[in-house]
Amino acid sequence: MLKAFIFDMDGVLADSEDLSMRIGIEYFASIGIAAGREDFRPFLGMGEEGFFAGPAGKLGAEGYSYSEASAFFRSRYLEIVGDSRIALPGADIVRKAHRCGILTALASSAPRWKAMANIEAVGLTADDFDSIATGEDIKRNKPEKDIYELSLIRLGVDASEAVVFEDAAAGIESGKRASCRVIALTTTLDAASAYDAGADGVIPDLSAISGFSSREEAVRFAEEAMKRMPGGKVRYGAVMIEPLERRMPRSFTLRKAIEAAAAARENAYVPFSRYRVGAAVVSAATGRIYPGCNVENSSFGATICAERNAITTAVAEEGAIGIDMLVVFSEDDPPAPPCAACLQVIAEFSRPETEIVLASPGTGPRSYRLSQLLPMPFIFPTIRG
Ligand code: THU
């Protein structure tokens, strides 16, 4: 039984690489050297010393001193990190998990000052963590297992009760050496490399599993993320789908899907109810968006809802689909949810965390997870995962 979530910082909760490179460029400018991001990139992840010494050697920076660079970096970083947008999607999972009763830990190789500054900059506080371990607390850094073992001891849990969230190969290896299960984010590596490094599951970022509202659901979402089969397939309800690796940002997909659902609604065939509904389904395998509208019938019971129309349109194009997101566009305030029959059809092709967005012309979109709207779908016993 999962009891604890342990998070790496950079590439998982925060993306501070660009900020670091900006400050590096400022430092070199202060000693009269024009540096660019491309001078730092090969040296990212090599520790602070490599981060400065690499470009300094390459650019022949004579006035370079590591201790000065390090002091400059720290004071400038602390000055501007609060105003920099370094939070990665889903970073609020830490607070949510902690409040639900999951034990939470940070295991970052960064120095303590940087870890603490990043925690605040991503909208969290030290109180959201039951343990904070940094590079200063251990002798041997990742890929050695020390930082994860220390975190397990501090949390008082067994390795089998913890899941580690990592983005880099050395971090994945570190978590595995400590006998934890590891969910990798594809913020840094692609999925194949993450699996090669030993990851038990791969997600695009933490927002893929942060939509839970209870401890049980949090555990279920994390377990689901580790159910990926060899070959990259993932269970979506009754079907196995290989999700697209590089997805568009959620905000972009959401906007496009709402537009598609609103446009489909214009075509609703509703001579009896005059109640127009549009829907749009986002396919997990392709990222494509399929529209649907309600189509009524003189024999009222033969009416087809917008959601099922969108799903059958998608299946006609792709075969069995996995649904990452489904938008329902109605004219209600609050916007209408899918009917129970549609929820059951949605569940055939969805994961518990599939996002169901309810929208209407007058109100902002409201986002739910399928598990909230239909906690216990029926999936035929012989094909249940
Ligand atoms: N309708 C939908 O399109 N989706 C739902 O989930 C609920 C209802 C349509 C069917 C019918 O044309 C009209 O709304 C009134 O029931």
Side-chain angles (χ1 to χ4, degrees), residues 273 275 277 294 296 303 305-307 337-339 342:
S273 74
Y275 182 79
V277 186
N294 49 341
E296 297 189 337
T303 289
C305 294
E307 299 88 321
C339 75
C342 284

Side-chain angles (χ1 to χ4, degrees), residues 185-322:
L185 282 66
T186 50
T187 47
T188 305
L189 295 176
D190 59 38
S193 316
Y195 280 118
D196 284 348
D200 297 277
V202 176
I203 54 176
D205 56 52
L206 289 170
S207 69
I209 64 158
S210 64
F212 53 82
S213 42
S214 69
R215 180 190 166 133
E216 293 66 33
E217 214 174 35
V219 169
R220 183 144 56 92
F221 286 6
E223 293 285 2
E224 284 281 330
M226 293 184 280
K227 270 197 192 153
R228 186 184 264 256
M229 308 289 155
K233 294 207 165 176
V234 173
R235 178 164 292 286
Y236 278 77
V239 301
M240 299 300 296
I241 293 292
E242 189 172 337
L244 196 62
E245 213 108 81
R246 305 228 172 277
R247 298 182 211 199
M248 300 305 282
R250 175 190 170 269
S251 54
F252 177 83
T253 305
L254 177 63
R255 186 158 50 79
K256 288 287 166 199
I258 290 177
E259 277 169 22
R265 183 169 164 267
E266 299 296 319
N267 292 334
Y269 173 73
V270 288
F272 307 106
S273 74
R274 310 224 167 267
Y275 182 79
R276 295 175 179 277
V277 186
V281 163
V282 180
S283 162
T286 62
R288 286 178 62 187
I289 298 174
Y290 296 96
C293 60
N294 49 341
V295 180
E296 297 189 337
N297 194 274
S298 296
S299 173
F300 294 171
T303 289
I304 298 163
C305 294
E307 299 88 321
R308 277 178 281 160
N309 187 358
I311 291 171
T312 50
T313 300
V315 174
E317 288 277 333
E318 290 190 17
I321 53 158

